Amino acid sequence: METRTTADAARVLVVEDEPVLRACIADGLTDAGFQVTSLADGTDFAARVDTVRPDVSILDVMLPGTGGFGLAEHLRTHSRSSVVFLTARDSVSDRLAGFEAGADDYLVKPFVMAELVARVRAVLRRSGKLRSTTLQVADLVIDEDAGQVMRAGEPVSVTATELRLLCYLARHRGLVLSKTQILTQVWGYEAYDPNLVEAYVSVLRRKLEKEGTRLIHTVRGIGYRMSDTR
C-alpha cells in the first residue's frame, strides 16, 4: 500500500493489480492534485477504506481474490465513496453490469490519463466533494472546472487540450518538466511526438502574451517551466 499526499485534496483510493499501471495512475492523479492511496488487491481494502475515507475509489474489475464488483459492494454499505471501474471489457453488457454494481463511471483500458482525471473530477463534482480547481500564476487565473482562462483580467480562449496543458504546467509552476512528462500526462502514455508539445506551447504563448509577459519558459535541452520570473 502506498499513500501520496497533497494538502487539502480530494482522497482517491486506487486498487489495480498491474504494478506499472497502478504507479502511472497514482502519479497522474497526484500530479492532478489528489491525495492518492494505492493497493495491489483487495486484501486490506476494508481497513484502508476505514482509514483513508476515500472520496472516490478507482477499482479494477478483474483483481486476484475479490474483484472490483465485490469491493464496490463493500463500499455501498461502509462508505460514501464514489466508484469508478477500470476494465478491459468494453461490451454493453459489461458496462451495464458495472453500473448495476454501483459504478458512478466506467473506463475501458487502455485509456488516456487526462481522461481518467477528467472523469474523477466529474464524479466528484456530481457528489459535491470537489475542492476548488482554480490555479493562479502571476496574473494568469485558470478555472479548470469552468474551462475558463483569464490573463490580466481579460479572457483567453483555449481548446480542451490547451487547457489540460496549461493546468499541468500551472500545477507544477517553478519546476522544469520534460517533453516526455508533458506528453504522457496531457496526451497519454501512447503519445510519442515531442513536436506536439512544442506546437501547443507555441500557440499558448501567443495567446497568453497578448495580455502580459512570458510565463512558459523553454529550458534548453530539457523542456519547459511555468513561472512569472525567468
Side-chain angles (χ1 to χ4, degrees), residues 47-223:
R48 294 284 78 78
V49 169
D50 288 341
T51 56
V52 174
R53 294 178 292 109
D55 296 305
V56 60
S57 298
I58 300 175
L59 310 175
D60 185 12
V61 172
M62 301 298 293
L63 290 167
T66 304
F69 289 177
L71 300 183
E73 184 176 352
H74 175 86
L75 287 174
R76 286 201 302 271
T77 56
H78 295 85
S79 172
R80 298 180 63 187
S81 174
S82 301
V83 174
V84 176
F85 283 129
L86 300 179
T87 182
R89 298 180 174 180
D90 61 354
S91 70
V92 173
S93 60
D94 288 324
R95 292 171 186 267
L96 289 175
F99 286 113
E100 288 174 1
D104 294 276
D105 208 340
Y106 185 105
L107 189 58
V108 176
K109 302 175 184 178
F111 55 85
V112 175
M113 191 63 221
E115 181 180 5
L116 176 59
V117 171
R119 286 174 180 256
V120 168
R121 290 192 183 283
V123 166
L124 289 168
R125 277 198 300 273
R126 291 197 297 269
S127 64
K129 299 173 184 175
L130 189 66
R131 277 69 164 176
S132 172
T133 57
T134 299
L135 303 167
Q136 184 165 0
V137 180
D139 59 353
L140 174 69
V141 179
I142 309 162
D143 186 333
E144 187 172 8
D145 279 349
Q148 296 177 344
V149 178
M150 304 286 287
R151 180 85 199 267
E154 295 296 325
V156 179
S157 177
V158 295
T159 66
T161 303
E162 289 166 358
L163 179 65
R164 290 199 304 270
L165 173 57
L166 201 54
C167 288
Y168 183 65
L169 293 171
R171 284 197 192 92
H172 298 83
R173 54 191 174 275
L175 300 179
V176 179
L177 302 170
S178 71
K179 293 177 183 178
T180 300
Q181 285 177 294
I182 296 170
L183 274 172
T184 55
Q185 293 301 320
V186 176
W187 279 272
Y189 291 92
E190 302 300 319
Y192 60 90
D193 186 1
N195 292 328
L196 194 62
V197 179
E198 295 176 13
Y200 272 84
V201 166
S202 178
V203 172
L204 276 179
R205 278 174 170 164
R206 287 199 299 271
K207 291 182 176 184
L208 296 178
E209 290 170 20
K210 288 180 180 179
E211 307 296 340
T213 58
R214 175 156 296 185
L215 293 177
I216 305 175
H217 307 284
T218 300
V219 181
R220 191 174 300 277
I222 304 178

Side-chain angles (χ1 to χ4, degrees), residues 27-41:
D27 287 344
L29 291 173
T30 301
D31 283 346
F34 298 110
Q35 179 177 321
V36 182
T37 298
S38 56
L39 299 171
D41 55 42

